[in-house]
Amino acid sequence: MPEISRFFGIIITMYYNDHPPPHFHVRYNNQKAIVSIQTLEILEGELTARLFKLVTEWAILHQVELMEDWELARDNQTLEKISPLE
């Protein structure tokens, strides 16, 4: 599962050939979630409100890049790193 970004200890990844809808995976300590790229809803798992706010703030800034990486992953191509939240 390629890591595409990391910030404040939050790890953002995507799987190759993953199931729709387009999404990314979030890990932070014991918390895990799958987040929709298009709606930024948590599809599976749970995040604290503070963590979810940081993740959505980052994702809003990088939605186009996330969709580009989703398409690359669907085609089994190398994913691009995405800038962290600063």
Side-chain angles (χ1 to χ4, degrees):
M1 172 169 41
E3 181 179 308
I4 56 175
S5 194
R6 180 186 293 242
F7 51 94
F8 309 128
I10 302 165
I11 301 168
I12 308 293
T13 59
M14 275 189 194
Y15 287 109
Y16 288 104
N17 287 321
D18 210 351
H19 59 85
H23 63 273
F24 58 93
H25 297 254
V26 178
R27 287 184 299 151
Y28 179 79
N29 291 334
N30 296 339
Q31 299 177 65
K32 293 181 183 178
I34 297 173
V35 179
S36 167
I37 295 171
Q38 295 166 323
T39 65
L40 301 179
E41 295 176 89
I42 294 177
L43 301 174
E44 187 177 310
E46 291 183 21
L47 302 174
T48 63
R50 180 181 174 278
L51 180 57
F52 184 61
K53 183 176 189 260
L54 289 170
V55 169
T56 54
E57 182 180 335
W58 172 82
I60 287 167
L61 295 171
H62 299 289
Q63 262 180 310
V64 170
E65 294 162 280
L66 284 163
M67 279 307 300
E68 289 170 354
D69 266 354
W70 175 261
E71 292 302 325
L72 288 171
R74 299 289 289 167
D75 291 336
N76 283 316
Q77 296 184 22
T78 304
L79 305 185
E80 298 293 327
K81 294 284 187 186
I82 298 176
S83 300
L85 190 63
E86 296 180 9

